[in-house]
Amino acid sequence: MRILITGGGTEEPLDSVRNVCNSSTGRTASFLAEHFLRRGHDVAAIMARRAVLPSADSQAGGTLSVRGYRTFADLRAVLEDECRNGGFGAVIHAAAVSDYSPDVI
């Protein structure tokens, strides 16, 4: 089965030097990805740029692809692209998405 997993936290820029972010590590998403990989599933992991990534050592039969994101807009674009290509038997959203984005940067 193909599984899509999101993990880590978003960052939302306030200006050119500051942003609002959360401290989500992505460890839960990485743990889940590794679990499914060990059982032979193909995993598409969409992980925050500062997140702990799934270990490639867990690929006992399954394949792993990792794509990154920074902001909610980035995450949304990657999700739309991945879902457009389709074929997922399960989608697990473990990402910690920001509650808001500033109107003007």
Side-chain angles (χ1 to χ4, degrees), residues 11-13 29 37 47 58 61 87 89:
E11 299 176 31
E12 298 300 328
L37 286 166
M47 305 294 290
S58 302

Side-chain angles (χ1 to χ4, degrees), residues 49-64:
R49 69 180 186 155
R50 296 182 185 185
V52 173
L53 300 179
S55 170
D57 295 339
S58 302
Q59 295 183 37
T63 60
L64 172 66

Side-chain angles (χ1 to χ4, degrees), residues 1 3 9 14 21 33 37 41 63 72 90:
M1 173 171 38
I3 300 169
L14 297 174
C21 62
L37 286 166
H41 298 286
T63 60
F72 171 71

